[in-house]
Amino acid sequence: MMLVKAHVENMQIYGLSGMIGNFRTFMNIILLIGLFFGTRFILDKKLNLE
């Protein structure tokens, strides 16, 4: 019984860290996309002003 309980606890810990890891990669992708479009938008604005 103790072995099963420990295994379940480990699974919960790994599941949580896995979710956090996935969330962080997801956020990084969103940031990269945001930076990409943001820089393009700024460059377009600068080009239009000149």
Side-chain angles (χ1 to χ4, degrees):
M1 280 304 286
M2 287 300 290
L3 211 99
V4 173
K5 188 174 185 284
H7 183 69
V8 169
E9 281 174 7
N10 282 347
M11 288 297 286
Q12 285 175 342
I13 290 163
Y14 281 122
L16 193 68
S17 61
M19 273 172 58
I20 291 164
N22 288 342
F23 183 70
R24 284 180 66 181
T25 30
F26 184 64
M27 287 301 288
N28 284 344
I29 290 162
I30 288 171
L31 279 171
L32 283 171
I33 292 165
L35 280 170
F36 177 69
F37 283 112
T39 44
R40 279 189 62 183
F41 179 73
I42 289 162
L43 286 172
D44 285 350
K45 283 281 186 198
K46 280 185 178 173
L47 289 172
N48 287 343
L49 285 173
E50 285 173 4

